[in-house]
Amino acid sequence: MKKGYYVGGICTMGLLGLPSLQSCSDSKDGSMNDKPNIIFILADDMGYCDLACYGNRFIETPNIDKLAETGTSFTQAYAGSGISSPSRCALMTGRNSGNTTIRDNFCVEGGIEGFKGKNKIRRMHLLPNDTTLATVLGAAGYRTCLVNKWHMDGFNPEATPLNRGFDEFYGWLISTAHSNDPYYYPYWRFDNHELKNVEENEGDKRIKHNTDISTEDAINFIRRNKENPFFLYLAYDAPHEPYNIEETTWYDDEEWDVNTKRYASLITHMDRAIGRLIAELEELELRENTLIIFASDNGAAKQAPLEELGCKGSLKGMKGTLYEGGIRIPFIVNQPGKVPVQKLDNLIYFPDVMPTLAAAAQATDKLPTRRNGINILPLFYGEQMDTDDRLLYWEFPGKQRAARKGDWKAVTVKKDAPLELYNIKEDMTESENLAEQHPEILQELEKEMNAIRTPSPNWPLSGE
């Protein structure tokens, strides 16, 4: 077992002995073959080192820490992108950002035109022929629900979760801008197709926080579906800016500025909500048959207290970049009695989630042919497998590109700039560019990067 600790401003992992584990296939009995309930919890803009179990010394996260301490956590897990929409698209479709329908928050061509503030922009949305994780699990008999943030409808009101495979939806949409206004204390919120008022927050009152609303929606969904397998995608807003939360009691005695206290409070508040959710599963006697995954959609944002709280440790970059600080994320898996206690350094990323959860749900025959991820379920249940001898790929079309294969990473975060090369095993801070020393490695990575992607009409590149 590898145990995490905090050295020199970055989260690192040391190696201890792992007791031998019976293989997943050998240990399965009738109950193992039952379809587990699946809960995927996603934080928003939470840094790789924001959790105590990933080395943070300031932010209290006892419930998430317990998931890590009693389950499996990954030290080299990556989001689908460095920002929200394309990252979530990779999560839901099993395709990387060189092949997804949504490759950036804003598109160059096509999509639908709208406004962000006073700026006119275009956004792309998931298409009806995009097979989602909810579609796959729903076809296997799961009741599926998204709670809170979708962020894949663009400005299209007909691209809601209910139009893309989910049976139930409680939250907000980009296409209905006021459905999460004001942020964290909304007065309007979707209840499936219907937009309803949150009466407590009427008149800009800050009474009922969106994290609590989302947790109540999640618990109510579980209660209604306790007799059949369910998939709950609980996509919290926390700790995305603006950092709005009235309850900061955990950190009122700290000599921090208001922004720092609120950022930390948003994470601890979310952690408390996750504790409520887990307690409900235990009360309903569902905990042992429920697979819980916790992750973040990308790295911490520039507005976060990056230095004060060590949100990204010493990782390079942040949200919006394809350096490690933008895409490396915490990824925790827990299911009592089935997921062993271990820390793994396997390379995994969001496109792996769809085939993995399809395997857990015995729904691999429902998977779309076109996908980039692999089934990593054996890792969840204590088996060994090689996930590193393949190319993980990301792009912001025409602006940034990155790939990881084994110890090596190629990346550029500037338009038309040459690729940089890093040995991440030796240099996770991406401090020493080895492109000149190892041109043959860089050339091979670039060849694979060019081969793995497909053109997009919404982000046309010269020569395509």
Side-chain angles (χ1 to χ4, degrees):
M1 180 175 64
K2 300 175 184 176
K3 187 174 181 180
Y5 55 95
Y6 198 90
V7 174
I10 61 174
C11 302
T12 61
M13 299 287 158
L15 181 65
L16 298 176
L18 177 65
S20 61
L21 292 167
Q22 190 177 20
S23 74
C24 183
S25 57
D26 290 342
S27 64
K28 285 182 179 179
D29 54 21
S31 62
M32 179 66 79
N33 289 323
D34 290 340
K35 295 180 178 181
N37 303 311
I38 300 169
I39 300 178
F40 195 102
I41 304 173
L42 192 67
D44 196 347
D45 291 3
M46 193 184 73
Y48 178 69
C49 292
D50 270 334
L51 301 173
C53 55
Y54 276 78
N56 197 282
R57 297 173 293 166
F58 306 104
I59 304 174
E60 299 175 17
T61 51
N63 294 295
I64 301 173
D65 294 344
K66 187 175 181 180
L67 290 176
E69 290 163 3
T70 60
T72 293
S73 53
F74 289 83
T75 67
Q76 295 194 91
Y78 291 93
S81 180
I83 55 175
S84 182
S85 292
S87 187
R88 292 160 197 265
C89 190
L91 177 69
M92 283 292 110
T93 65
R95 287 180 270 161
N96 64 42
S97 54
N99 293 282
T100 51
T101 299
I102 303 173
R103 304 190 182 191
D104 204 338
N105 277 357
F106 314 134
C107 60
V108 178
E109 301 287 346
I112 297 176
E113 192 173 76
F115 287 87
K116 183 174 183 179
K118 295 182 180 179
N119 298 320
K120 188 177 290 187
I121 60 172
R122 307 190 74 86
R123 289 187 187 268
M124 190 52 196
H125 52 272
L126 272 188
L127 297 171
N129 61 353
D130 284 317
T131 301
T132 68
L133 178 56
T135 305
V136 171
L137 297 183
Y142 278 66
R143 184 72 177 176
T144 60
C145 177
L146 167 68
V147 172
N148 199 47
K149 183 173 180 177
W150 177 233
H151 224 251
M152 288 180 283
D153 54 310
F155 295 120
N156 185 352
E158 296 181 357
T160 75
L162 299 175
N163 303 121
R164 299 295 184 266
F166 283 92
D167 297 311
E168 299 183 37
F169 165 54
Y170 309 93
W172 62 277
L173 299 171
I174 300 171
S175 54
T176 307
H178 62 278
S179 58
N180 194 34
D181 188 25
Y183 211 74
Y184 285 117
Y185 292 95
Y187 178 50
W188 296 92
R189 185 174 171 86
F190 277 97
D191 182 331
N192 289 306
H193 289 291
E194 187 178 356
L195 197 57
K196 292 185 176 181
N197 291 133
V198 180
E199 300 294 343
E200 294 90 336
N201 294 335
E202 182 178 5
D204 291 331
K205 296 190 184 82
R206 295 188 171 196
I207 303 297
K208 199 161 188 179
H209 198 274
N210 202 33
T211 295
D212 294 321
I213 299 171
S214 297
T215 305
E216 290 173 9
D217 288 336
I219 288 173
N220 288 333
F221 169 76
I222 292 169
R223 288 173 177 169
R224 291 193 303 272
N225 292 279
K226 61 184 179 181
E227 301 299 332
N228 53 269
F230 60 78
F231 168 54
L232 169 64
Y233 173 29
L234 175 53
Y236 286 117
D237 289 329
H240 192 289
E241 57 85 24
Y243 305 131
N244 293 334
I245 184 168
E246 296 300 302
E247 185 180 4
T248 61
T249 53
W250 303 279
Y251 306 105
D252 283 345
D253 293 335
E254 299 288 348
E255 295 182 359
W256 300 342
D257 61 29
V258 173
N259 183 71
T260 302
K261 290 181 180 181
R262 288 178 176 170
Y263 181 87
S265 294
L266 283 167
I267 294 174
T268 302
H269 181 234
M270 175 177 60
D271 178 87
R272 185 178 69 187
I274 291 170
R276 285 180 56 201
L277 185 76
I278 294 171
E280 184 67 26
L281 291 171
E282 292 172 347
E283 178 69 22
L284 295 172
E285 298 183 349
L286 297 175
R287 184 66 186 91
E288 291 188 0
N289 196 42
T290 300
L291 177 67
I292 296 177
I293 301 174
F294 177 88
S296 178
D297 69 336
N298 47 249
K302 64 180 180 180
Q303 297 92 338
L306 301 174
E307 299 301 324
E308 297 92 330
L309 298 184
C311 304
K312 60 176 182 140
S314 291
L315 296 179
K316 189 175 183 177
M318 62 192 73
K319 174 185 177 179
T321 76
L322 297 181
Y323 286 128
E324 295 290 288
I327 55 176
R328 189 184 286 221
I329 55 168
F331 195 100
I332 300 166
V333 183
N334 190 288
Q335 187 180 0
K338 296 181 180 179
V339 173
V341 177
Q342 56 182 348
K343 288 185 185 275
L344 301 177
D345 59 6
N346 294 76
L347 301 186
I348 66 169
Y349 73 152
F350 274 7
D352 297 333
V353 172
M354 174 188 273
T356 300
L357 296 188
Q362 302 170 35
T364 55
D365 59 323
K366 314 297 183 185
L367 285 169
T369 302
R370 187 181 169 209
R371 61 183 187 273
N372 299 113
I374 62 173
N375 171 21
I376 59 171
L377 190 66
L379 293 176
F380 291 6
Y381 292 125
E383 294 188 8
Q384 295 182 359
M385 62 179 293
D386 183 8
T387 62
D388 298 0
D389 190 25
R390 58 173 176 144
L391 192 80
L392 311 187
Y393 180 76
W394 304 264
E395 69 174 44
F396 290 118
K399 297 184 290 186
Q400 300 185 42
R401 293 185 297 155
R404 177 83 194 269
K405 187 175 184 180
D407 297 340
W408 295 98
K409 180 179 177 183
V411 59
T412 179
V413 299
K414 296 180 181 179
K415 184 178 181 180
D416 299 326
L419 286 168
E420 303 160 14
L421 180 68
Y422 300 99
N423 185 318
I424 299 299
K425 181 178 181 181
E426 304 295 333
D427 177 25
M428 67 184 290
T429 63
E430 295 168 294
S431 300
E432 185 179 2
N433 181 5
L434 301 175
E436 292 185 3
Q437 290 94 318
H438 298 283
E440 73 289 351
I441 295 176
L442 189 61
Q443 183 179 9
E444 181 59 32
L445 285 174
E446 184 163 23
K447 181 180 177 181
E448 292 191 51
M449 291 167 74
N450 292 335
I452 200 172
R453 71 176 306 275
T454 56
S456 168
N458 305 114
W459 288 271
L461 303 179
S462 60
E464 293 185 339

